[in-house]
Short mmCIF file of all heavy atoms in Angstrom, two decimals:
data_model
loop_
_atom_site.label_atom_id
_atom_site.label_comp_id
_atom_site.label_asym_id
_atom_site.label_seq_id
_atom_site.Cartn_x
_atom_site.Cartn_y
_atom_site.Cartn_z
N SER D 838 38.41 20.22 -40.60
CA SER D 838 37.79 21.20 -41.49
C SER D 838 38.09 22.53 -41.02
O SER D 838 38.31 22.71 -39.73
CB SER D 838 36.30 21.02 -41.51
OG SER D 838 35.72 21.11 -40.22
N SER D 839 38.16 23.53 -41.87
CA SER D 839 38.40 24.88 -41.52
C SER D 839 37.22 25.73 -41.08
O SER D 839 36.10 25.30 -41.45
CB SER D 839 39.22 25.57 -42.67
OG SER D 839 38.31 25.69 -43.81
N ALA D 840 37.49 26.82 -40.53
CA ALA D 840 36.35 27.81 -40.23
C ALA D 840 35.65 28.20 -41.45
O ALA D 840 34.47 28.36 -41.53
CB ALA D 840 36.83 28.97 -39.46
N GLN D 841 36.40 28.46 -42.57
CA GLN D 841 35.86 28.87 -43.82
C GLN D 841 34.92 27.82 -44.41
O GLN D 841 33.93 28.13 -44.93
CB GLN D 841 36.99 29.15 -44.85
CG GLN D 841 37.77 30.44 -44.43
CD GLN D 841 38.76 30.31 -43.24
OE1 GLN D 841 39.08 29.16 -42.99
NE2 GLN D 841 39.16 31.35 -42.67
N GLU D 842 35.36 26.50 -44.27
CA GLU D 842 34.47 25.53 -44.81
C GLU D 842 33.23 25.28 -44.04
O GLU D 842 32.10 25.14 -44.58
CB GLU D 842 35.24 24.17 -44.77
CG GLU D 842 34.51 23.00 -45.42
CD GLU D 842 35.26 21.68 -45.35
OE1 GLU D 842 36.09 21.56 -46.29
OE2 GLU D 842 35.06 20.87 -44.47
N ARG D 843 33.28 25.47 -42.80
CA ARG D 843 32.12 25.40 -41.89
C ARG D 843 31.23 26.58 -42.17
O ARG D 843 29.89 26.44 -42.23
CB ARG D 843 32.52 25.39 -40.41
CG ARG D 843 33.16 24.04 -39.94
CD ARG D 843 33.79 24.17 -38.58
NE ARG D 843 34.28 22.92 -38.11
CZ ARG D 843 35.07 22.77 -37.02
NH1 ARG D 843 35.30 23.76 -36.25
NH2 ARG D 843 35.45 21.50 -36.67
N ALA D 844 31.82 27.70 -42.37
CA ALA D 844 30.94 28.91 -42.69
C ALA D 844 30.25 28.70 -43.98
O ALA D 844 29.08 29.09 -44.23
CB ALA D 844 31.87 30.12 -42.72
N PHE D 845 30.88 28.06 -44.98
CA PHE D 845 30.27 27.76 -46.33
C PHE D 845 29.13 26.86 -46.07
O PHE D 845 27.99 27.00 -46.71
CB PHE D 845 31.37 27.10 -47.23
CG PHE D 845 30.85 26.74 -48.54
CD1 PHE D 845 30.80 27.64 -49.55
CD2 PHE D 845 30.37 25.46 -48.77
CE1 PHE D 845 30.22 27.29 -50.80
CE2 PHE D 845 29.87 25.07 -50.00
CZ PHE D 845 29.79 25.98 -51.04
N LEU D 846 29.31 25.78 -45.24
CA LEU D 846 28.10 24.84 -45.09
C LEU D 846 26.99 25.48 -44.34
O LEU D 846 25.76 25.28 -44.62
CB LEU D 846 28.60 23.58 -44.16
CG LEU D 846 29.61 22.68 -44.96
CD1 LEU D 846 30.21 21.64 -43.92
CD2 LEU D 846 28.96 22.02 -46.10
N LEU D 847 27.31 26.30 -43.38
CA LEU D 847 26.21 27.07 -42.69
C LEU D 847 25.45 27.96 -43.68
O LEU D 847 24.28 28.15 -43.51
CB LEU D 847 26.85 27.86 -41.52
CG LEU D 847 25.95 28.87 -40.76
CD1 LEU D 847 24.77 28.15 -40.21
CD2 LEU D 847 26.68 29.52 -39.62
N ALA D 848 26.17 28.57 -44.51
CA ALA D 848 25.52 29.42 -45.52
C ALA D 848 24.79 28.74 -46.61
O ALA D 848 23.77 29.24 -47.11
CB ALA D 848 26.52 30.48 -46.07
N HIS D 849 25.27 27.56 -47.07
CA HIS D 849 24.78 27.01 -48.33
C HIS D 849 24.22 25.58 -48.24
O HIS D 849 23.57 25.13 -49.10
CB HIS D 849 25.87 27.04 -49.30
CG HIS D 849 26.46 28.39 -49.67
ND1 HIS D 849 25.65 29.23 -50.41
CD2 HIS D 849 27.64 28.95 -49.34
CE1 HIS D 849 26.44 30.42 -50.61
NE2 HIS D 849 27.58 30.17 -49.96
N ASP D 850 24.61 24.78 -47.15
CA ASP D 850 24.22 23.43 -47.17
C ASP D 850 22.60 23.36 -47.15
O ASP D 850 21.97 24.11 -46.48
CB ASP D 850 24.83 22.71 -45.99
CG ASP D 850 24.84 21.20 -46.07
OD1 ASP D 850 24.12 20.64 -47.01
OD2 ASP D 850 25.46 20.53 -45.25
N THR D 851 22.14 22.30 -47.85
CA THR D 851 20.64 22.13 -47.83
C THR D 851 20.21 21.26 -46.72
O THR D 851 18.99 21.00 -46.53
CB THR D 851 20.20 21.57 -49.19
OG1 THR D 851 20.94 20.38 -49.43
CG2 THR D 851 20.50 22.53 -50.38
N ASP D 852 21.15 20.61 -46.05
CA ASP D 852 20.77 19.68 -45.00
C ASP D 852 20.72 20.44 -43.71
O ASP D 852 21.67 21.03 -43.20
CB ASP D 852 21.82 18.58 -44.84
CG ASP D 852 21.48 17.59 -43.78
OD1 ASP D 852 20.46 16.85 -44.01
OD2 ASP D 852 22.14 17.59 -42.70
N PRO D 853 19.52 20.45 -43.00
CA PRO D 853 19.38 21.24 -41.81
C PRO D 853 20.35 20.79 -40.70
O PRO D 853 20.85 21.64 -39.95
CB PRO D 853 17.87 20.99 -41.45
CG PRO D 853 17.18 20.62 -42.69
CD PRO D 853 18.30 19.84 -43.49
N PHE D 854 20.43 19.46 -40.55
CA PHE D 854 21.33 19.00 -39.41
C PHE D 854 22.75 19.46 -39.63
O PHE D 854 23.39 19.99 -38.70
CB PHE D 854 21.22 17.47 -39.34
CG PHE D 854 22.25 16.93 -38.32
CD1 PHE D 854 21.96 16.97 -36.98
CD2 PHE D 854 23.50 16.41 -38.77
CE1 PHE D 854 22.86 16.46 -36.07
CE2 PHE D 854 24.43 15.95 -37.77
CZ PHE D 854 24.13 15.98 -36.43
N ASN D 855 23.33 19.26 -40.83
CA ASN D 855 24.64 19.69 -41.00
C ASN D 855 24.89 21.19 -40.96
O ASN D 855 25.94 21.65 -40.58
CB ASN D 855 25.26 19.13 -42.30
CG ASN D 855 25.76 17.75 -42.16
OD1 ASN D 855 25.66 17.20 -41.06
ND2 ASN D 855 26.08 17.10 -43.25
N ARG D 856 23.91 21.99 -41.34
CA ARG D 856 23.91 23.40 -41.23
C ARG D 856 24.03 23.85 -39.79
O ARG D 856 24.87 24.64 -39.44
CB ARG D 856 22.63 23.96 -41.96
CG ARG D 856 22.88 25.40 -42.50
CD ARG D 856 21.66 25.73 -43.41
NE ARG D 856 22.04 27.00 -44.11
CZ ARG D 856 21.21 27.50 -45.06
NH1 ARG D 856 20.22 26.81 -45.44
NH2 ARG D 856 21.60 28.61 -45.70
N TRP D 857 23.16 23.24 -39.04
CA TRP D 857 23.22 23.48 -37.57
C TRP D 857 24.46 23.03 -36.95
O TRP D 857 25.13 23.77 -36.13
CB TRP D 857 22.06 22.80 -36.84
CG TRP D 857 22.04 22.96 -35.40
CD1 TRP D 857 21.69 23.97 -34.60
CD2 TRP D 857 22.66 21.98 -34.51
NE1 TRP D 857 21.95 23.81 -33.30
CE2 TRP D 857 22.53 22.53 -33.09
CE3 TRP D 857 23.21 20.69 -34.60
CZ2 TRP D 857 22.97 21.92 -32.03
CZ3 TRP D 857 23.56 20.02 -33.41
CH2 TRP D 857 23.54 20.64 -32.15
N GLU D 858 24.96 21.83 -37.32
CA GLU D 858 26.23 21.33 -36.78
C GLU D 858 27.42 22.20 -37.09
O GLU D 858 28.29 22.41 -36.27
CB GLU D 858 26.41 19.80 -37.35
CG GLU D 858 27.64 19.22 -36.79
CD GLU D 858 27.47 18.60 -35.40
OE1 GLU D 858 26.35 18.83 -34.83
OE2 GLU D 858 28.44 18.12 -34.83
N ALA D 859 27.39 22.73 -38.34
CA ALA D 859 28.44 23.72 -38.72
C ALA D 859 28.41 25.00 -37.83
O ALA D 859 29.49 25.46 -37.43
CB ALA D 859 28.27 24.09 -40.17
N SER D 860 27.29 25.47 -37.61
CA SER D 860 27.11 26.65 -36.75
C SER D 860 27.72 26.40 -35.40
O SER D 860 28.33 27.20 -34.70
CB SER D 860 25.78 27.20 -36.77
OG SER D 860 24.88 26.33 -35.92
N ARG D 861 27.23 25.16 -34.83
CA ARG D 861 27.67 24.85 -33.52
C ARG D 861 29.13 24.68 -33.42
O ARG D 861 29.77 25.21 -32.36
CB ARG D 861 26.95 23.53 -33.12
CG ARG D 861 26.78 23.22 -31.62
CD ARG D 861 25.62 24.21 -31.07
NE ARG D 861 25.26 23.76 -29.73
CZ ARG D 861 24.38 24.52 -29.06
NH1 ARG D 861 23.91 25.66 -29.58
NH2 ARG D 861 24.12 24.15 -27.83
N ALA D 862 29.74 23.98 -34.27
CA ALA D 862 31.24 23.76 -34.19
C ALA D 862 31.99 25.08 -34.37
O ALA D 862 32.94 25.31 -33.67
CB ALA D 862 31.59 22.83 -35.35
N MET D 863 31.48 26.02 -35.15
CA MET D 863 32.11 27.23 -35.38
C MET D 863 32.05 28.08 -34.09
O MET D 863 33.03 28.72 -33.64
CB MET D 863 31.52 28.05 -36.49
CG MET D 863 31.78 27.54 -37.93
SD MET D 863 31.14 28.65 -39.24
CE MET D 863 32.25 30.00 -39.07
N ALA D 864 30.83 28.12 -33.47
CA ALA D 864 30.55 28.86 -32.25
C ALA D 864 31.53 28.22 -31.14
O ALA D 864 32.14 29.08 -30.34
CB ALA D 864 29.18 28.77 -31.74
N VAL D 865 31.73 26.96 -31.05
CA VAL D 865 32.55 26.40 -30.08
C VAL D 865 34.02 26.90 -30.29
O VAL D 865 34.70 27.24 -29.31
CB VAL D 865 32.46 24.81 -30.05
CG1 VAL D 865 33.62 24.15 -29.35
CG2 VAL D 865 31.12 24.37 -29.53
N ASP D 866 34.50 26.86 -31.48
CA ASP D 866 35.86 27.27 -31.80
C ASP D 866 36.08 28.71 -31.44
O ASP D 866 37.13 29.12 -30.85
CB ASP D 866 36.20 27.01 -33.28
CG ASP D 866 36.47 25.64 -33.57
OD1 ASP D 866 36.70 24.85 -32.60
OD2 ASP D 866 36.40 25.26 -34.73
N VAL D 867 35.07 29.53 -31.76
CA VAL D 867 35.16 30.96 -31.47
C VAL D 867 35.22 31.12 -29.92
O VAL D 867 36.09 31.95 -29.38
CB VAL D 867 33.98 31.75 -32.00
CG1 VAL D 867 33.97 33.18 -31.46
CG2 VAL D 867 34.00 31.78 -33.52
N LEU D 868 34.39 30.46 -29.25
CA LEU D 868 34.33 30.57 -27.75
C LEU D 868 35.61 30.06 -27.15
O LEU D 868 36.03 30.63 -25.99
CB LEU D 868 33.20 29.91 -27.18
CG LEU D 868 31.77 30.57 -27.47
CD1 LEU D 868 30.61 29.65 -27.09
CD2 LEU D 868 31.69 31.95 -26.83
N LEU D 869 36.27 29.18 -27.69
CA LEU D 869 37.46 28.62 -27.15
C LEU D 869 38.71 29.42 -27.63
O LEU D 869 39.86 29.11 -27.33
CB LEU D 869 37.69 27.16 -27.55
CG LEU D 869 36.70 26.15 -26.88
CD1 LEU D 869 36.88 24.73 -27.45
CD2 LEU D 869 36.89 26.18 -25.32
N GLY D 870 38.48 30.45 -28.54
CA GLY D 870 39.55 31.28 -28.96
C GLY D 870 40.35 30.71 -30.03
O GLY D 870 41.46 31.15 -30.36
N ALA D 871 39.83 29.61 -30.68
CA ALA D 871 40.58 28.90 -31.75
C ALA D 871 40.37 29.55 -33.07
O ALA D 871 41.21 29.36 -33.99
CB ALA D 871 40.13 27.43 -31.92
#
């Protein structure tokens, strides 16, 4: 999945777990410079 897709889920998903999971995955990629 792309950063844009994860950002979309973080902004719009109604499921709390997946919203949090998207934010976590994006933060990991940012911190790793990806």
